[in-house]
Short mmCIF file of all heavy atoms in Angstrom, two decimals:
data_model
loop_
_atom_site.label_atom_id
_atom_site.label_comp_id
_atom_site.label_asym_id
_atom_site.label_seq_id
_atom_site.Cartn_x
_atom_site.Cartn_y
_atom_site.Cartn_z
N GLY B 51 -14.19 70.31 88.29
CA GLY B 51 -13.16 71.32 88.22
C GLY B 51 -12.65 71.64 89.62
O GLY B 51 -13.18 71.20 90.61
N GLU B 52 -11.55 72.38 89.66
CA GLU B 52 -10.93 72.76 90.91
C GLU B 52 -11.97 73.47 91.83
O GLU B 52 -12.65 74.29 91.38
CB GLU B 52 -9.76 73.74 90.61
CG GLU B 52 -9.06 74.22 91.84
CD GLU B 52 -7.79 75.06 91.42
OE1 GLU B 52 -7.21 74.77 90.42
OE2 GLU B 52 -7.62 76.04 92.17
N GLY B 53 -12.00 72.95 93.06
CA GLY B 53 -12.88 73.64 94.02
C GLY B 53 -14.34 73.12 93.95
O GLY B 53 -15.18 73.59 94.73
N THR B 54 -14.65 72.19 93.07
CA THR B 54 -16.03 71.62 92.97
C THR B 54 -16.00 70.20 93.19
O THR B 54 -15.08 69.47 92.84
CB THR B 54 -16.61 71.97 91.63
OG1 THR B 54 -16.00 71.13 90.66
CG2 THR B 54 -16.49 73.40 91.18
N THR B 55 -17.09 69.68 93.92
CA THR B 55 -17.26 68.26 94.03
C THR B 55 -18.75 67.97 93.94
O THR B 55 -19.55 68.89 94.19
CB THR B 55 -16.76 67.74 95.38
OG1 THR B 55 -17.41 68.35 96.47
CG2 THR B 55 -15.25 67.99 95.54
N ALA B 56 -19.12 66.70 93.67
CA ALA B 56 -20.48 66.26 93.57
C ALA B 56 -20.59 64.83 93.95
O ALA B 56 -19.63 64.07 93.88
CB ALA B 56 -21.03 66.55 92.17
N LYS B 57 -21.78 64.48 94.42
CA LYS B 57 -22.06 63.10 94.84
C LYS B 57 -22.31 62.17 93.65
O LYS B 57 -22.96 62.61 92.69
CB LYS B 57 -23.22 63.03 95.79
CG LYS B 57 -22.97 63.74 97.17
CD LYS B 57 -24.20 63.64 98.01
CE LYS B 57 -23.95 64.38 99.35
NZ LYS B 57 -25.10 64.32 100.20
N GLY B 58 -21.83 60.95 93.78
CA GLY B 58 -22.15 59.97 92.79
C GLY B 58 -23.23 58.98 93.27
O GLY B 58 -24.16 59.43 94.03
N GLU B 59 -23.08 57.73 92.95
CA GLU B 59 -24.14 56.77 93.30
C GLU B 59 -24.05 56.34 94.79
O GLU B 59 -25.05 56.10 95.39
CB GLU B 59 -23.93 55.48 92.49
CG GLU B 59 -24.04 55.62 91.01
CD GLU B 59 -23.55 54.29 90.30
OE1 GLU B 59 -24.22 53.30 90.57
OE2 GLU B 59 -22.57 54.31 89.61
N VAL B 60 -22.84 56.26 95.31
CA VAL B 60 -22.69 55.72 96.63
C VAL B 60 -21.77 56.62 97.56
O VAL B 60 -20.67 56.16 97.87
CB VAL B 60 -22.09 54.26 96.60
CG1 VAL B 60 -23.13 53.25 96.05
CG2 VAL B 60 -20.89 54.23 95.66
N PRO B 61 -22.21 57.84 97.82
CA PRO B 61 -21.43 58.76 98.47
C PRO B 61 -21.30 58.67 100.03
O PRO B 61 -20.40 59.24 100.65
CB PRO B 61 -22.03 60.09 98.14
CG PRO B 61 -23.48 59.78 98.01
CD PRO B 61 -23.54 58.37 97.47
N ASP B 62 -22.29 57.94 100.59
CA ASP B 62 -22.32 57.85 102.09
C ASP B 62 -21.08 57.32 102.68
O ASP B 62 -20.60 56.21 102.31
CB ASP B 62 -23.59 57.11 102.53
CG ASP B 62 -24.84 57.82 102.13
OD1 ASP B 62 -24.74 59.04 101.86
OD2 ASP B 62 -25.92 57.17 102.10
N GLY B 63 -20.60 57.98 103.76
CA GLY B 63 -19.37 57.52 104.44
C GLY B 63 -18.07 58.04 103.91
O GLY B 63 -17.02 57.70 104.40
N TYR B 64 -18.16 58.80 102.78
CA TYR B 64 -16.95 59.34 102.11
C TYR B 64 -17.04 60.83 101.98
O TYR B 64 -18.16 61.37 101.84
CB TYR B 64 -16.81 58.78 100.69
CG TYR B 64 -16.83 57.25 100.65
CD1 TYR B 64 -17.96 56.58 100.35
CD2 TYR B 64 -15.61 56.56 100.80
CE1 TYR B 64 -17.92 55.17 100.29
CE2 TYR B 64 -15.60 55.21 100.71
CZ TYR B 64 -16.78 54.47 100.45
OH TYR B 64 -16.73 53.13 100.34
N ASN B 65 -15.93 61.52 102.02
CA ASN B 65 -15.88 62.88 101.60
C ASN B 65 -14.70 63.13 100.69
O ASN B 65 -13.78 62.29 100.64
CB ASN B 65 -15.68 63.80 102.90
CG ASN B 65 -14.47 63.42 103.67
OD1 ASN B 65 -13.32 63.70 103.29
ND2 ASN B 65 -14.64 62.70 104.83
N VAL B 66 -14.82 64.22 99.91
CA VAL B 66 -13.78 64.46 98.88
C VAL B 66 -13.37 65.98 98.93
O VAL B 66 -14.16 66.76 99.40
CB VAL B 66 -14.25 64.07 97.51
CG1 VAL B 66 -14.28 62.55 97.28
CG2 VAL B 66 -15.55 64.71 97.17
N SER B 67 -12.22 66.19 98.37
CA SER B 67 -11.85 67.63 98.18
C SER B 67 -10.97 67.75 96.93
O SER B 67 -10.25 66.85 96.58
CB SER B 67 -11.13 68.14 99.41
OG SER B 67 -9.88 67.43 99.50
N ARG B 68 -11.13 68.87 96.27
CA ARG B 68 -10.36 69.14 95.01
C ARG B 68 -9.87 70.59 95.17
O ARG B 68 -10.33 71.49 94.53
CB ARG B 68 -11.16 68.94 93.82
CG ARG B 68 -10.32 69.13 92.55
CD ARG B 68 -10.50 67.99 91.59
NE ARG B 68 -9.72 68.14 90.39
CZ ARG B 68 -10.31 68.17 89.18
NH1 ARG B 68 -11.57 68.17 89.05
NH2 ARG B 68 -9.48 68.31 88.13
N LEU B 69 -8.77 70.73 95.94
CA LEU B 69 -8.26 72.05 96.19
C LEU B 69 -7.29 72.52 95.07
O LEU B 69 -7.17 73.67 94.74
CB LEU B 69 -7.46 72.03 97.46
CG LEU B 69 -8.32 71.74 98.76
CD1 LEU B 69 -7.47 71.77 100.00
CD2 LEU B 69 -9.49 72.71 98.83
N LYS B 70 -6.73 71.52 94.38
CA LYS B 70 -5.92 71.76 93.21
C LYS B 70 -6.42 70.93 92.04
O LYS B 70 -6.90 69.84 92.27
CB LYS B 70 -4.42 71.41 93.50
CG LYS B 70 -3.73 72.23 94.52
CD LYS B 70 -2.30 71.79 94.70
CE LYS B 70 -1.60 72.61 95.71
NZ LYS B 70 -0.18 72.24 95.86
N LYS B 71 -6.29 71.49 90.84
CA LYS B 71 -6.82 70.81 89.69
C LYS B 71 -6.23 69.40 89.51
O LYS B 71 -6.98 68.47 89.12
CB LYS B 71 -6.54 71.61 88.43
CG LYS B 71 -7.17 71.12 87.19
CD LYS B 71 -6.90 72.05 85.97
CE LYS B 71 -7.68 71.55 84.78
NZ LYS B 71 -7.41 72.34 83.55
N GLN B 72 -4.99 69.23 89.90
CA GLN B 72 -4.37 67.93 89.64
C GLN B 72 -4.63 66.84 90.69
O GLN B 72 -4.31 65.71 90.49
CB GLN B 72 -2.86 68.04 89.42
CG GLN B 72 -2.10 68.58 90.61
CD GLN B 72 -2.01 70.12 90.61
OE1 GLN B 72 -2.87 70.85 90.17
NE2 GLN B 72 -0.86 70.60 91.13
N ASN B 73 -5.24 67.29 91.77
CA ASN B 73 -5.39 66.35 92.95
C ASN B 73 -6.85 66.17 93.34
O ASN B 73 -7.64 67.16 93.43
CB ASN B 73 -4.58 66.83 94.19
CG ASN B 73 -3.12 66.82 93.97
OD1 ASN B 73 -2.61 66.16 93.09
ND2 ASN B 73 -2.40 67.64 94.74
N PHE B 74 -7.17 65.00 93.65
CA PHE B 74 -8.57 64.62 94.17
C PHE B 74 -8.45 63.67 95.32
O PHE B 74 -7.96 62.60 95.10
CB PHE B 74 -9.36 64.03 93.05
CG PHE B 74 -10.83 64.01 93.22
CD1 PHE B 74 -11.50 64.98 93.97
CD2 PHE B 74 -11.63 63.00 92.64
CE1 PHE B 74 -12.89 64.99 94.11
CE2 PHE B 74 -13.02 63.02 92.83
CZ PHE B 74 -13.62 63.92 93.55
N LEU B 75 -8.82 64.18 96.55
CA LEU B 75 -8.66 63.35 97.75
C LEU B 75 -9.99 62.69 98.13
O LEU B 75 -11.06 63.33 98.11
CB LEU B 75 -8.16 64.21 98.85
CG LEU B 75 -6.68 64.53 98.90
CD1 LEU B 75 -6.23 65.36 97.74
CD2 LEU B 75 -6.32 65.26 100.20
N LEU B 76 -9.88 61.41 98.53
CA LEU B 76 -11.05 60.69 99.10
C LEU B 76 -10.85 60.40 100.51
O LEU B 76 -9.83 59.74 100.80
CB LEU B 76 -11.28 59.42 98.28
CG LEU B 76 -12.45 58.50 98.78
CD1 LEU B 76 -13.77 59.15 98.39
CD2 LEU B 76 -12.32 57.14 98.07
N GLY B 77 -11.73 60.83 101.36
CA GLY B 77 -11.53 60.62 102.75
C GLY B 77 -12.61 59.66 103.39
O GLY B 77 -13.73 59.68 102.92
N LEU B 78 -12.15 58.83 104.31
CA LEU B 78 -13.08 58.04 105.08
C LEU B 78 -12.99 58.47 106.51
O LEU B 78 -11.82 58.38 107.14
CB LEU B 78 -12.76 56.50 105.04
CG LEU B 78 -13.06 55.80 103.77
CD1 LEU B 78 -12.16 56.18 102.64
CD2 LEU B 78 -12.98 54.31 104.00
N GLU B 79 -13.97 59.04 107.06
CA GLU B 79 -13.88 59.66 108.44
C GLU B 79 -13.89 58.54 109.52
O GLU B 79 -13.19 58.67 110.55
CB GLU B 79 -15.00 60.70 108.68
CG GLU B 79 -14.80 61.93 107.82
CD GLU B 79 -15.86 63.01 108.14
OE1 GLU B 79 -16.87 62.66 108.76
OE2 GLU B 79 -15.69 64.17 107.71
N SER B 80 -14.71 57.57 109.34
CA SER B 80 -14.91 56.46 110.32
C SER B 80 -15.12 55.22 109.52
O SER B 80 -16.25 54.91 109.21
CB SER B 80 -16.05 56.82 111.25
OG SER B 80 -16.23 55.74 112.24
N ALA B 81 -14.06 54.53 109.24
CA ALA B 81 -14.16 53.37 108.32
C ALA B 81 -15.00 52.24 108.89
O ALA B 81 -15.03 51.99 110.13
CB ALA B 81 -12.73 52.83 108.10
N ALA B 82 -15.72 51.61 108.01
CA ALA B 82 -16.62 50.44 108.31
C ALA B 82 -16.24 49.28 107.47
O ALA B 82 -15.72 49.45 106.31
CB ALA B 82 -18.03 50.83 108.11
N PRO B 83 -16.48 48.06 107.92
CA PRO B 83 -16.13 46.87 107.08
C PRO B 83 -16.82 46.89 105.70
O PRO B 83 -16.22 46.34 104.74
CB PRO B 83 -16.70 45.74 107.92
CG PRO B 83 -16.56 46.22 109.34
CD PRO B 83 -16.91 47.66 109.24
#
Side-chain angles (χ1 to χ4, degrees):
Chain B
E52 181 179 322
T54 71
T55 63
K57 293 180 180 180
E59 302 170 62
V60 289
D62 294 342
Y64 305 95
N65 57 75
V66 288
S67 65
R68 185 128 180 241
L69 300 179
K70 296 182 179 181
K71 187 177 183 179
Q72 64 268 34
N73 296 337
F74 195 32
L75 278 64
L76 178 71
L78 285 72
E79 291 185 347
S80 180

